[in-house]
Amino acid sequence: MDQYNITLNPKDMPDAWYNINADMPEPMAPPLHPGTMKPVGPDDLSAIFPMGLIQQEMSADPMISIPGEVMDKYRLWRSTPLRRAYRLEKALNTPAKIYYKNESVCPGGSHKINTAIAQAYYNKAEGTTEITTETGAGQWGSALSIACSMLGMKCTVYMVRVSYDHKPYRRVLMQTYGGNVIPSPSPTTNSGRAFLAADPDTTGSLGMAISEAVEVAATSGGKIKYSLGSVLNHVLLHQTIIGLEAKKQMESVGAYPDVVIACCGGGSNFGGIAFPFAHDKLRKGKKIDFIAVEPAACPSLTRGIYAYDFGDTGKLTPLLMQYTLGHDFVPSGIHAGGLRYHGVASQLALLVKKGVMRAVAYKQNPVFEAAVMFAKAEGIIPAPETSHAIRAAIDEAIKCRESGEAKTILFNLSGHGHFDMMAYDAYNSGQLVDLELDEKALEAAEAAIPKVTAPA
Ligand SMILES: *Cc1c(COP(=O)(O)O)cnc(C)c1O
């Protein structure tokens, strides 16, 4: 009998995260202090992050155990189901076997709470009473709002203006979970006021919202800390729970992936599903094709420059080695708000640079075509971000149909699209525009990337 849902026995739940720093093909270039351009130390970061997370950021331990209180919260929604997409396979008439890990069942509707709960826990343990953050599409702000409520802390969310205006239900969701939501750029911070002075009609960007949230934490005198929903090592570390579970679930049915796919904004759900399998490629020589999927309107991995750059527009964050479109880059207002980020996680950037992983980019219409096909076959309406991964998985399956290969494809269903009906409406009525990367804006933004080389 066909087994659609592959569950994990609660006693087999992974109880440690996987740290890919232990298996990197070469040492990572260290983050640099934005003022001195020297490598940052734990003390530099302690103004905005708790020590528990700073230690994880720099750790080289291969496995890091998950605290009991975090495990308790994880058990509310984990393990998530792994599903064999038999109906999608039939619709595509492909010999490929397609599996997906369903993170859309997490509270808030996406994988983001896997790290939100861990970050809130380590903050609380060190006396933080409030956390500030930014949100693009709203998923991260939702996840952190829930996590802070669960642990009895305050949460302030700077929400990118264009999303604030176009996604009122996301705002209400965050407020219902107890979050304090401010549209960004805002007049409540120095950086926000500067962005508004430069362009009063700006749609905002993740880069600007990060500047605001970091500023509030850095100038608070210690009780308020900042939290980031992607990009950093500790965030990708927490998300490896996805891939660790998927590995056990696939093993339980005698399956192993030839191809692992996820969409990529900052790289956290991609790292989450891919890194535990990448261990097998880096350490055991397994042949696996890892594909990170990004929007053609914001193609950091496929068209960005490998360089040190700031994480934010206001140049407050440390410089990270990454693929970047420039910290000034404001991507066009595509519906996959969670993928509108100028850079990408350093760990993922290095693995792409070294050829261990690769990236592809798609325009909006083919992405939504894949989303609708998936929704009809599997019954889940995916987030616009997630739909990028689905497009790539479908294309890999079509290649198998043409070549006759029966590859095993695993992708991450990072979230559902129940708050994205405006985007689906635009697609269904033929109004969705295939936004191109603005070459002029890109050149200008790239010119602003600082000329810094890695310390010897
Ligand atoms: C935030 C988000 C993403 C993009 O972020 P990553 O850090 O690259 O994973 C993708 N999918 C969903 C559903 C999201 O909420």
Side-chain angles (χ1 to χ4, degrees):
M1 201 193 72
D2 291 350
Q3 190 183 357
Y4 282 86
N5 285 301
I6 302 152
T7 52
L8 196 61
N9 191 318
K11 73 170 174 32
D12 294 330
M13 272 268 297
D15 58 6
W17 294 297
Y18 164 65
N19 181 11
I20 198 159
N21 276 348
D23 293 331
M24 276 291 175
E26 68 180 44
M28 303 263 298
L32 304 182
H33 189 282
T36 64
M37 299 289 171
K38 298 251 159 57
V40 291
D43 289 347
D44 299 315
L45 298 173
S46 65
I48 56 170
F49 295 119
M51 264 315 157
L53 294 175
I54 295 169
Q55 277 160 7
Q56 291 183 350
E57 191 65 20
M58 302 183 166
S59 168
D61 295 346
M63 299 300 293
I64 294 177
S65 66
I66 305 173
E69 198 179 334
V70 175
M71 279 303 285
D72 277 353
K73 300 291 185 296
Y74 271 180
R75 286 185 199 286
L76 277 173
W77 65 93
R78 309 210 69 87
S79 61
T80 62
L82 179 79
R83 194 189 272 183
R84 172 88 183 265
Y86 282 110
R87 289 181 45 87
L88 181 64
E89 291 170 18
K90 286 209 183 77
L92 291 166
N93 190 24
T94 176
K97 301 181 185 78
I98 307 175
Y99 293 85
Y100 60 92
K101 183 74 167 151
N102 186 5
E103 292 295 304
S104 80
V105 301
C106 299
S110 84
H111 66 285
K112 296 241 169 48
I113 194 163
N114 299 328
T115 184
I117 205 75
Q119 292 192 46
Y121 167 83
Y122 287 105
N123 266 291
K124 186 175 181 178
E126 292 177 33
T128 307
T129 55
E130 177 176 348
I131 303 183
T132 60
T133 196
E134 72 292 332
T135 199
Q139 286 108 329
W140 172 239
S142 310
L144 195 65
S145 296
I146 309 165
C148 285
S149 287
M150 281 181 176
L151 293 173
M153 301 161 81
K154 268 183 75 178
C155 181
T156 295
V157 183
Y158 287 87
M159 185 175 193
V160 176
R161 177 98 238 174
V162 64
S163 305
Y164 188 91
D165 292 340
H166 290 135
K167 297 190 144 191
Y169 295 149
R170 269 284 167 196
R171 168 178 57 77
V172 178
L173 183 77
M174 285 185 265
Q175 290 167 334
T176 305
Y177 282 129
N180 169 30
V181 188
I182 301 171
S184 166
S186 79
T188 67
T189 63
N190 285 333
S191 29
R193 285 187 288 272
F195 298 138
L196 286 172
D199 178 5
D201 299 322
T202 178
T203 53
S205 69
L206 276 177
M208 293 183 202
I210 294 173
S211 297
E212 292 203 271
V214 167
E215 182 185 319
V216 171
T219 56
S220 75
K223 286 286 178 199
I224 305 179
K225 297 279 187 204
Y226 165 74
S227 166
L228 188 61
S230 187
V231 176
L232 297 178
N233 299 348
H234 66 265
V235 180
L236 275 60
L237 171 81
H238 301 152
Q239 294 296 356
T240 60
I241 189 77
I242 302 172
L244 291 164
E245 283 178 10
K247 219 169 166 180
K248 289 192 171 187
Q249 286 162 311
M250 291 194 80
E251 257 164 33
S252 76
V253 293
Y256 194 87
D258 300 300
V259 188
V260 178
I261 299 171
C263 66
C264 183
S268 76
N269 92 93
F270 180 82
I273 194 154
F275 286 0
F277 291 99
H279 168 81
D280 296 353
K281 184 168 185 172
L282 293 164
R283 290 282 164 167
K284 303 175 195 162
K286 278 264 189 195
K287 281 204 171 56
I288 310 169
D289 187 13
F290 293 100
I291 310 174
V293 193
E294 53 186 20
C298 193
S300 347
L301 284 168
T302 49
R303 293 181 64 188
I305 293 174
Y306 190 68
Y308 267 114
D309 199 6
F310 298 99
D312 68 324
T313 311
K315 304 198 255 188
L316 297 175
T317 70
L319 291 96
L320 299 174
M321 189 57 107
Q322 57 185 307
Y323 281 96
T324 176
L325 299 167
H327 56 270
D328 282 343
F329 182 71
V330 179
S332 33
I334 54 165
H335 287 286
L339 306 185
R340 294 175 79 239
Y341 183 65
H342 67 270
V344 73
S346 286
Q347 291 174 326
L348 172 54
L350 181 59
L351 291 166
V352 169
K353 180 87 181 154
K354 289 274 141 197
V356 178
M357 300 179 165
R358 67 188 176 102
V360 295
Y362 286 106
K363 293 183 187 150
Q364 292 196 101
N365 276 296
V367 163
F368 275 86
E369 184 197 5
V372 169
M373 183 178 196
F374 179 80
K376 286 175 178 166
E378 297 292 320
I380 300 169
I381 297 201
E385 292 85 358
T386 310
S387 306
H388 287 72
I390 298 174
R391 176 76 260 172
I394 287 177
D395 282 359
E396 287 301 309
I398 290 172
K399 276 189 217 156
C400 286
R401 178 174 73 207
E402 285 157 2
S403 70
E405 280 176 287
K407 284 189 185 170
T408 298
I409 299 167
L410 169 66
F411 75 86
N412 193 39
L413 190 91
S414 56
H416 68 65
H418 293 182
F419 291 95
D420 300 280
M421 290 304 124
M422 300 281 279
Y424 278 92
D425 194 32
Y427 174 73
N428 291 337
S429 57
Q431 313 271 303
L432 200 65
V433 186
D434 269 337
L435 294 161
E436 289 281 2
L437 182 68
D438 182 344
E439 200 63 48
K440 282 244 160 53
L442 179 60
E443 277 166 24
E446 285 184 341
I449 297 173
K451 310 280 174 288
V452 193
T453 47

